[in-house]
């Protein structure tokens, strides 16, 4: 079976067709979750699922599942999938690639009139990006029981809309039981969204783990004053405090080394004038590590720094938790199989860590899970310039095909 | 003569009447230079000048001078004054206090039917704040020959209007020769706009010098990337570079000590998102020192840091000069007289430096000049909360009265 190849041109064409929905003037894809554009994208892909003869179910959080029945439907199915919502300035591949490659696996099996023992399920998870509703990875989180449905349906969008009402409005609040498919295994194919595969000239990443994420927003309140007339010793400079935190985060990553990364990507000063000491600063701190203990150490070190900075500068610093996910270790045996199939297909490959969050990290709570990465040119993502070479897209889908079909023909549940 | 006191309630009432023009919903004064509100303010104060029997002249840059003739009009006059334009969220006293206290000195002399040997001139300088037209202190700069008139008249406002046209529109482009009054001395009374007098409980500042100012805008261009997937070693983080400059500026002031101050009050990151490494940052650096050589040293040290930071972070940094004024040393004998009159009036006083720019720094180019400061509660200025206690406003005007009348009765030019 591993020598069978998916139909590359068909996959590429479907990716472009989907990318045309919600296309902006700057050539970005804008299909924010549960907007009219998201509905159009869902309708298109559900249509393709039906064309493939798949049976469709939609659950109350709007996750869509297309099923290609196996010859032994009593066995737990093999699942793949991802998301088709985008950020405001999204690219063509983030999420969409994983969903459409899943359909391409089904289409290839259909073309060859090949059965599998287990059913194959292709999932489309609601609001993975978190660009309209927080938190991100919401559909898969609710699917695995990580958030009560009622709580999720009540979430307000950045535009004020309520998630449950938007689901109804676009006709995607279904009645299938949450978690209806308890998979034998879950495999998600995704562009890397980072620079490592591209920089090293490697075609396939066999993802063995996913970074833990710690996001907080810090609000620093100092005292506004004249930049010329206020002696340094009398300052309570919220802007300086913000910059000291940013440089501390950089120093911390240097001291800790390893996988620790840290970013201050958002800074807003008030009043933000050349000759006025800032009264207030709001910044975000993004810390990530593959090791939960090290991530906690980083949070702890930051916390201690904030206390001493608060005292030395005479400012108050308050923290609001925006997100916290523990690192996820994927199923080692499954990651091995991905590497094996890449090897068998003559594709260079490496074990790697996912720096971004994905629906797979939620699915890992309920079944053996791993991910396949393909290169992102220049590591660019969440950007109209997001690009993966067509050959690499096809290669990744072939690895997915080999991995899924092998899993779907495993007789016993693990 | 020094035992004569100005009429405090009259001065306070006039300050409030002027403050009502351009008052905003947040109780700020908004009389941006050469707007309709500025015209209303000018009309009001010119009316008061006429009521005092002063002769009025307006020059081509819109500076207004009211003259109370001395008994020896062939001697160079003594001049005081300041400005009545405000920032967008101005207070009641910044500038206005110096002008109206000057009129109060004249009113007090009129009440007492006292002559002076020299004429007394009260000046209102155009666009001191620089909040609508850059640079600030424009009227006094042009008056002393620091900028050609044509160049000044062609300046565009932040709202697109042209200075010369706005002057004509509000009827304040006069025909008096620029620099028509070559003063025997210039004394400007102003609120401190800093916290020192208030913090130390001192009533009068005898200003002996004024900081040099170095303003630049730095634009840092790095590379936008995913905060999770981009290893620290591959980052070109414009946001980190901005913070490193801000902390460098703070460290520099600590190392240099003395009068060196430095502020990064304005920071804008792009795209300014929690999980995206900033592609671009724009920040301002405000450096001030009373010593020109030390200020140049600070600029030089910053410059060297920018070079090394640019290399180590792999970002480009470009600088745009926004303002550069050398420090000004005021006339020591005149500052002594201000301290003397404060002492004679039983007011606590200290020698001090002006951290803000004032019209007096321009006038210092053409005549012996000094300034009198009164406390700003909490050092707050450019803010509706700007406040000086009424007793302190009256005390400062009494020191101005004593100083001006002494100068106006000095027989020989210095």
């Amino acid at each position: 079976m591993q020598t069978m190849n998916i139909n590359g041109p068909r996959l590429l064409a479907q990716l472009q067709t989907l990318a045309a929905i919600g296309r902006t003037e700057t050539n970005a894809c804008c299909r924010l979750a549960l907007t009219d554009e998201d509905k159009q994208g869902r309708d298109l892909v559900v249509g393709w699922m039906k064309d493939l003869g798949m049976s469709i179910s939609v659950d109350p959080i709007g996750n869509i599942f297309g099923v290609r029945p196996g010859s032994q439907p009593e066995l737990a199915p093999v699942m793949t999938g991802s998301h088709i919502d985008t950020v405001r300035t999204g690219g063509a591949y983030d999420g969409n690639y994983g969903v459409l490659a899943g359909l391409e696996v089904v289409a290839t099996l259909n073309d060859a009139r090949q059965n599998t023992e287990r059913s194959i399920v292709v999932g489309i998870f609601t609001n993975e990006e978190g660009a309209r509703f927080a938190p991100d990875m919401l559909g898969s989180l609710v699917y695995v029981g990580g958030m009560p449905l009622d709580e999720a349906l009540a979430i307000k969008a950045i535009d004020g809309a309520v998630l449950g009402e938007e689901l109804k409005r676009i006709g995607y609040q279904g009645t299938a039981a949450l978690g209806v498919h308890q998979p034998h295994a879950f495999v998600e194919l995704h562009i890397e969204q980072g620079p490592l595969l591209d920089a090293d000239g490697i075609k396939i990443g066999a993802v063995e783990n996913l970074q833990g994420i710690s996001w907080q927003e810090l609000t620093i309140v100092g005292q506004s004053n004249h930049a010329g007339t206020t002696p340094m010793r009398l300052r309570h400079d919220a802007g300086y405090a913000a910059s000291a935190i940013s440089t501390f985060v950089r120093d911390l990553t240097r001291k800790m080394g390893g996988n620790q990364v840290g970013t201050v990507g958002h800074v807003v000063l008030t009043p933000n004038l050349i000759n006025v000491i800032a009264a207030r600063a709001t910044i975000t701190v993004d810390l990530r590590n593959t090791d939960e203990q090290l991530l906690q150490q980083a949070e702890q070190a930051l916390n201690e720094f904030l206390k001493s900075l608060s005292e030395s500068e005479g400012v108050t610093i308050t923290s609001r938790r925006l997100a916290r996910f523990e690192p996820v270790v994927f199923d080692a045996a499954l990651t091995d199989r991905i590497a094996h199939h890449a090897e068998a297909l003559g594709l260079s490959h490496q074990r790697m860590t996912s720096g971004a969050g994905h629906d797979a990290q939620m699915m890992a709570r309920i079944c053996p899970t791993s991910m396949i990465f393909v290169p992102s040119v220049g590591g660019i993502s969440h950007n109209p310039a997001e690009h993966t070479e067509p050959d690499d897209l096809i290669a990744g889908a072939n690895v997915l095909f080999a991995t899924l079909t092998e899993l779907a023909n495993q007789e016993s549940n693990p």
Side-chain angles (χ1 to χ4, degrees), chain A:
Chain A
M1 189 95 78
Q2 282 88 333
T3 56
M4 200 183 293
N5 279 332
I6 61 100
N7 183 331
R10 181 169 54 193
L11 170 60
L12 299 176
Q14 287 195 326
L15 282 165
Q16 292 314 313
T17 305
L18 179 53
I21 298 176
R23 185 168 282 158
T24 69
E25 285 176 8
T26 59
N27 217 28
C29 291
C30 183
R31 297 196 307 276
L32 294 173
L34 312 187
T35 56
D36 291 346
E37 291 75 22
D38 187 19
K39 174 189 160 53
Q40 284 178 54
R42 285 165 174 259
D43 289 350
L44 177 70
V45 179
V46 166
W48 286 337
M49 284 175 162
K50 288 179 179 164
D51 293 345
L52 292 170
M54 302 175 87
S55 61
I56 314 290
S57 63
V58 180
D59 72 15
I61 196 68
N63 298 320
I64 301 167
F65 300 97
V67 181
R68 181 181 194 264
S71 51
Q72 298 191 51
E74 69 281 7
L75 292 178
V78 172
M79 195 187 290
T80 188
S82 191
H83 62 96
I84 62 170
D85 68 317
T86 73
V87 296
R88 192 173 294 280
T89 57
Y93 306 122
D94 179 359
N96 308 298
Y97 172 52
V99 170
L100 298 188
L103 296 193
E104 181 53 40
V105 168
V106 171
T108 301
L109 289 169
N110 286 0
D111 291 348
R113 299 176 188 278
Q114 284 274 358
N115 276 342
T116 55
E117 304 289 314
R118 299 172 183 275
S119 302
I120 293 179
V121 181
V122 180
I124 303 172
F125 294 103
T126 294
N127 189 55
E128 192 273 348
E129 292 291 3
R132 189 174 177 220
F133 300 95
D136 50 1
M137 297 168 284
L138 183 72
S140 48
L141 179 68
V142 172
Y143 188 79
V144 303
M147 180 188 281
L149 176 63
D150 287 352
E151 191 182 316
L153 293 176
I155 291 170
K156 277 208 173 170
I158 51 171
D159 50 34
V162 176
L163 191 140
E165 291 169 11
E166 285 294 273
L167 263 179
K168 277 189 195 133
R169 188 183 67 80
I170 68 163
Y172 276 92
Q173 184 163 47
T175 55
L178 278 171
V180 62
H181 303 292
Q182 292 290 324
H184 173 65
F186 181 83
V187 180
E188 182 174 358
L189 172 64
H190 208 284
I191 56 169
E192 182 198 340
Q193 301 184 279
L196 297 178
L197 293 175
D198 184 47
D200 296 345
I202 303 284
K203 295 298 181 190
I204 296 292
V207 184
E208 53 191 0
N209 55 6
L210 187 142
Q211 292 176 329
I213 296 180
S214 164
W215 280 3
Q216 48 190 319
E217 180 188 78
L218 301 175
T219 301
I220 306 152
V221 178
Q223 192 181 324
S224 183
N225 237 321
H226 195 293
T229 57
T230 312
M232 299 311 292
R233 69 189 158 82
L234 295 181
R235 295 182 178 215
H236 310 286
D237 186 340
Y240 164 71
S243 71
I245 295 166
S246 180
T247 54
F248 175 82
V249 166
R250 171 63 70 93
D251 291 345
L252 181 67
T253 63
R254 197 175 289 136
K255 270 178 212 147
M256 293 184 67
N259 289 317
Q260 182 65 49
V261 295
T263 309
V264 173
H266 175 87
V267 175
V268 172
L269 304 188
T270 307
N272 209 30
L273 296 173
I274 184 170
N275 59 346
V276 180
I277 296 161
R280 172 185 284 263
T282 307
I283 71 172
T284 57
V285 181
D286 175 323
L287 297 172
R288 309 196 195 197
N289 201 313
T290 49
D291 182 300
E292 172 63 19
Q293 277 201 305
L294 291 173
L295 185 56
Q296 286 181 19
Q297 273 179 34
E299 291 176 317
Q300 176 69 13
L302 173 62
N303 221 15
E304 281 162 21
F305 177 73
L306 295 181
K307 271 183 209 148
S308 84
L309 177 67
S310 168
E311 280 170 30
S312 62
E313 189 66 17
V315 296
T316 63
I317 305 178
T318 52
S319 169
R320 187 164 72 93
R321 170 69 66 196
L322 296 178
R324 183 64 165 85
F325 292 113
E326 288 192 17
V328 175
V329 178
F330 288 135
D331 186 80
L334 189 46
T335 305
D336 279 348
R337 293 316 294 164
I338 290 166
H340 165 83
H341 291 300
E343 182 75 28
L345 287 162
L347 299 165
S348 58
H349 56 92
Q350 67 185 23
R351 300 283 200 290
M352 65 187 300
T353 292
S354 173
H358 295 290
D359 293 310
Q361 79 190 72
M362 300 305 170
M363 295 304 292
R365 298 188 189 182
I366 63 167
C367 67
T369 295
S370 187
M371 295 188 73
I372 306 165
F373 275 178
V374 294
S376 292
V377 175
I380 295 167
S381 185
H382 288 189
N383 189 310
E386 177 183 287
H387 184 65
T388 297
E389 295 300 339
D391 283 355
D392 293 346
L393 291 168
I394 294 167
N398 277 322
V399 175
L400 179 69
F401 180 85
T403 308
L404 281 186
T405 51
E406 179 183 50
L407 287 165
N409 289 314
Q410 281 174 346
E411 280 182 21
S412 60
N413 280 330

